[in-house]
Amino acid sequence: MVKRSISEKRISVATPQFAKRKSHRESSKHQAVWSLLDEICDPELPGISIWDLGILVDVVRQDSRWTISIMSTYSGCPAVDSIGQDIAELMMRRGYEDTTVKFVLAPAWSTEMISPEGLDSLREMKIAPPDKDNRVECPVCQGSNTRLLSQFGSTACKALYQCQDCLESFDYFKCF
Amino acid sequence: MKDEINCTELENLTRFLIALGDDSVIYSHRLSEWCSNGPYLEEDIALTNVALDYTGRARLFYQYAAKLEDNGKTEDDIAYLRTEREFTNLLIHELPINDFAFTMLRQYFMDVFYCLYLQALSGSKDESLSAIATKALKESHYHLKRSEPWIKLLAQGTDESRQRILRAQAELENFTGELFLMETWEVQLVDQGIAVDRSLIQLEWERQVSAFLAESNIQFTQTQLQVSGGRCGIHTEHLGHLLSEMQYLQRTYPGMKW
């Protein structure tokens, strides 16, 4: 069994879809609110913010009224309602009293929208990040000799894999 | 006169959204019946995750319908407070789960159907419908990746598993024809570029299903007996029992919330 050293750590690359999101965020006048929303995490993926996961879409202000747009990963994702509540509560606490959370449907969410930092966080949580060719690498020993145990893992966005080298079972964030 | 036309258009669209929501919510409920009864843990989780995807779709269709109706009713009223005759799902969705072979063969039939249907619906002139279909289509492609290997495994497995697939097929063949039958009001929506003519995807569906089943040496034949009536609210004897379970809480404790 060959183990890779830390220096061979995977480097996450920004996708064109993420680059588009990023430039939209950077061109916004409401940097303070975008930064504030970085505090909100997916309750089922603690440690990865809604920005990094790609589901924070937009921050819009009209007079004193704020509209935060988010999207769900999968149409049945139960986390999206609680994320909406978290946003409303946080905004309220920080003095943005008139806030509406809007759920948008288009464009459909894709794992291409995840930020490079988000991919790194997944690795840190020992979740294998999405791969277009479904080359799933063990997040524990980095071995490539892995097999699919179940197409669905602990949540709809993950599949369950096992490493044939270190025998560890792990979640794989489905390429979607 | 103009207002009258718009009124019918709106009524048709609402009816269409509720029908699509009914297809999804009823099917989701059937799949959820596997919860804690799956053949093994991973498969139990997979079945209920697919159920969750369908619940998600149902919610999106119902929410949109409730917004259009604008009479104070919510997605929950639509799901929990209508009677059997008011549900307009296509019948195949309401059939009992039967055994695992039946559940997976129906899943496979539905996956092929939804991959074709949602692809077409994603081109709808109605932006919200198109967005829902685009999102759901990705999910159905993933579902198909799971149902196909299961059908192969069961059809080419033991004598027992093959017999069960053949029995499931003999039953399901009576209900697949309805997937492609259109009601007059649906056709009107097709003419407006909003809905999809399901009869047009029948040939492609049959081609894909026949070719795939042939790989396991199973012949697919559309039987003469085709049961229909779902879109008009005429159901099999099974739906009432399903609803009595699904709607139990809201019927017993009206307005109950988490």
Side-chain angles (χ1 to χ4, degrees), chain A residues 23-87:
Chain A
S23 80
H24 177 72
R25 173 175 175 160
E26 283 170 353
S27 67
S28 166
K29 281 180 288 184
H30 314 301
Q31 291 304 319
V33 176
W34 284 94
S35 305
L36 176 64
L37 294 171
D38 283 337
E39 290 177 27
I40 307 273
C41 289
D42 183 318
E44 283 170 357
L45 291 163
I48 176 161
S49 73
I50 53 173
W51 163 256
D52 285 329
L53 187 58
I55 59 175
L56 177 58
V57 183
D58 210 357
V59 174
V60 175
R61 178 185 176 176
Q62 200 174 21
D63 303 325
S64 65
R65 191 181 183 84
W66 293 87
T67 305
I68 314 295
S69 301
I70 59 170
M71 58 166 80
S72 68
T73 51
Y74 289 76
S75 26
C77 181
V80 75
D81 289 334
S82 88
I83 292 171
Q85 275 172 19
D86 289 348
I87 293 174

Side-chain angles (χ1 to χ4, degrees), chain B residues 204-215:
Chain B
E204 180 56 19
W205 183 86
E206 283 178 0
R207 192 191 64 75
Q208 286 187 23
V209 166
S210 310
F212 178 74
L213 291 180
E215 290 172 28

Side-chain angles (χ1 to χ4, degrees), chain B residues 33 45-46 51 63 68 70 73 78 85 97 104 113 115 144 167 174 180 185 197 204 208 212 242 249 257:
Chain B
E33 289 174 20
I45 291 169
Q63 282 166 1
L68 292 180
D70 195 24
K73 287 193 178 158
I78 302 176
R85 288 295 295 270
I97 53 174
M104 287 319 295
F113 173 77
C115 284
L144 185 62
R167 268 209 301 274
N174 299 320
F180 310 104
W185 57 271
D197 189 345
E204 180 56 19
Q208 286 187 23
F212 178 74
L242 181 152
L249 198 75
K257 289 211 164 80

Side-chain angles (χ1 to χ4, degrees), chain A residues 71-78 81 105-106 108-111 134 149-156 159-160 174 176, chain B residues 40 42-43 45-47 49-50 52-53 55-57 59-60 128 131-132 134-136 138-139 142-143 145-146 149:
Chain A
M71 58 166 80
S72 68
T73 51
Y74 289 76
S75 26
C77 181
D81 289 334
L105 284 166
W109 176 80
S110 135
T111 40
N134 276 335
L149 286 184
S150 172
Q151 255 146 333
F152 291 91
S154 53
T155 61
L160 196 61
K174 285 157 25 181
F176 198 72
Chain B
Y40 50 88
E42 286 77 12
E43 201 47 47
I45 291 169
L47 284 158
N49 264 298
V50 177
L52 190 63
D53 283 341
T55 303
R57 289 178 200 184
R59 289 192 61 191
L60 294 174
S128 303
I132 299 171
T134 307
K135 205 164 173 57
K138 294 175 79 175
E139 295 159 7
Y142 193 74
H143 299 167
K145 276 193 207 166
R146 171 173 157 271

Side-chain angles (χ1 to χ4, degrees), chain B residues 8 10 13 25-26 36 90 95 105 107 111-112 120 125 137 144 146 167 200 206 210-211 230 247 251:
Chain B
T8 328
L10 191 67
L13 178 56
V25 84
I26 296 299
S36 81
L90 298 168
L95 299 177
L105 190 63
Q107 183 68 47
D111 291 344
V112 177
K125 275 190 191 159
L137 176 63
L144 185 62
R146 171 173 157 271
R167 268 209 301 274
L200 295 180
E206 283 178 0
S210 310
Q247 299 182 332
R251 297 285 191 190

Side-chain angles (χ1 to χ4, degrees), chain B residues 17-131:
Chain B
L17 291 167
I18 291 179
L20 293 179
D22 289 349
D23 286 340
S24 292
V25 84
I26 296 299
Y27 189 47
S28 169
H29 187 84
R30 280 300 184 212
L31 286 170
S32 74
E33 289 174 20
W34 277 102
C35 190
S36 81
N37 293 308
Y40 50 88
L41 184 63
E42 286 77 12
E43 201 47 47
D44 200 289
I45 291 169
L47 284 158
T48 41
N49 264 298
V50 177
L52 190 63
D53 283 341
Y54 278 92
T55 303
R57 289 178 200 184
R59 289 192 61 191
L60 294 174
F61 289 129
Y62 283 165
Q63 282 166 1
Y64 185 21
K67 197 172 120 192
L68 292 180
E69 277 189 318
D70 195 24
N71 57 3
K73 287 193 178 158
T74 67
E75 50 179 317
D76 287 343
D77 294 310
I78 302 176
Y80 296 123
L81 299 177
R82 284 179 308 141
T83 59
E84 194 181 346
R85 288 295 295 270
E86 291 169 284
F87 273 78
T88 52
N89 58 285
L90 298 168
L91 301 175
I92 194 167
H93 299 97
E94 73 196 41
L95 299 177
I97 53 174
N98 218 305
D99 58 12
F100 187 67
F102 183 93
T103 291
M104 287 319 295
L105 190 63
R106 168 168 54 183
Q107 183 68 47
Y108 168 70
F109 285 164
M110 299 324 295
D111 291 344
V112 177
F113 173 77
Y114 278 115
C115 284
L116 295 169
Y117 181 69
L118 294 169
Q119 174 71 55
L121 193 62
S122 67
S124 170
K125 275 190 191 159
D126 184 288
E127 274 179 24
S128 303
L129 255 179
S130 156

Side-chain angles (χ1 to χ4, degrees), chain A residues 8-28:
Chain A
E8 283 180 84
K9 202 181 147 213
R10 291 281 171 273
I11 296 162
S12 305
V13 188
T15 61
Q17 287 200 47
F18 173 72
K20 206 173 144 197
R21 289 183 65 227
K22 196 174 174 219
S23 80
H24 177 72
R25 173 175 175 160
E26 283 170 353
S27 67
S28 166

